[in-house]
Amino acid sequence: MNIMLFHSTYGLRPAVRAAADRLRAAGHQVWTPDLFEGRTFETVEEGMEFRESVGKDELLKRAVLAAAPYSERGLVYAGFSFGASVAQTLALGDDKARGLLLLHGTSDIAANATVDELPVQLHVAEPDQFETDDWLSSWYLQMGRAGADVEIYRYAGAGHIYTDPDLPDYDEEAAEATWRVALGFLDSL
């Protein structure tokens, strides 16, 4: 599978590269574009401030330009938190998308978004301050109306970005469970 993997608001950190290596070891081709052009952050607040200073439109433009050379191959879009929102936006706009793997995040859905049974898998903490129960219920229904085939996996007690061993949210058990399920999902596409 060809996978475009987007980083979180923390930037292109070692955990993103390690995730890409894990996916490559499972036989996938993976690209990890750096939407922050080399900047990484120690706190989510610093990352969010930088993200706001660059602007959503510019970051989406960078993501589209990163994915464009490979989209004809039929990409699986994937991402962590903010990167998941970027991946979702691109996948819903790419009629050749093969799947969508969301880790720790979702995004708004355009009212006119439509896909043809796009396989989507979401892994998120329970509870998660950025992905509340009400939001996830609404998101799930909207994705279904758009035509996506959605699976949601919740991890009780895990922190927001629980797959990054360098962050305080890290939860090894939840992270390993996420990767087992996600690799199975990718193999099914």
Side-chain angles (χ1 to χ4, degrees):
M1 205 52 50
N2 296 303
I3 302 169
M4 187 65 53
L5 179 62
F6 294 101
H7 61 77
S8 75
T9 299
Y10 288 96
L12 186 57
R13 296 167 44 86
V16 179
R17 290 185 178 92
D21 289 343
R22 184 186 290 240
L23 295 169
R24 289 182 188 109
H28 303 290
Q29 177 88 29
V30 184
W31 295 273
T32 55
D34 186 350
L35 302 182
F36 289 179
E37 299 177 333
R39 300 283 307 268
T40 60
F41 302 95
E42 294 301 314
T43 69
V44 69
E45 293 80 14
E46 291 171 335
M48 290 171 81
E49 185 177 309
F50 177 77
R51 186 181 78 199
E52 294 302 316
S53 73
V54 174
K56 182 179 180 178
D57 290 344
E58 175 61 24
L59 292 170
L60 279 175
K61 177 182 163 190
R62 292 176 186 179
V64 167
L65 290 172
Y70 310 104
S71 64
E72 285 298 315
R73 301 179 187 191
L75 290 170
V76 172
Y77 292 92
F80 297 93
S81 191
F82 156 72
S85 70
V86 171
Q88 178 186 305
T89 300
L90 268 59
L92 293 179
D94 181 354
D95 61 358
K96 290 185 175 26
R98 299 279 308 273
L100 175 59
L101 176 60
L102 303 172
L103 302 163
H104 323 298
T106 62
S107 182
D108 294 332
I109 302 163
N112 62 348
T114 59
V115 292
D116 187 16
E117 297 181 13
L118 178 71
V120 178
Q121 193 173 86
L122 168 64
H123 296 267
V124 65
E126 181 178 27
D128 187 311
Q129 73 268 27
F130 298 107
E131 301 291 324
T132 65
D133 290 344
D134 288 347
W135 167 258
L136 287 175
S137 294
S138 174
W139 175 85
Y140 178 81
L141 293 172
Q142 290 176 56
M143 286 294 280
R145 280 195 290 274
D149 181 13
V150 179
E151 298 176 336
I152 299 177
Y153 294 86
R154 305 289 306 268
Y155 300 87
H160 176 60
I161 303 182
Y162 61 82
T163 57
D164 187 332
D166 296 325
L167 294 177
D169 289 345
Y170 181 61
D171 183 314
E172 183 178 11
E173 186 178 331
E176 289 307 313
T178 294
W179 288 116
R180 274 192 306 278
V181 173
L183 288 170
F185 170 71
L186 293 169
D187 287 344
S188 75
L189 301 179

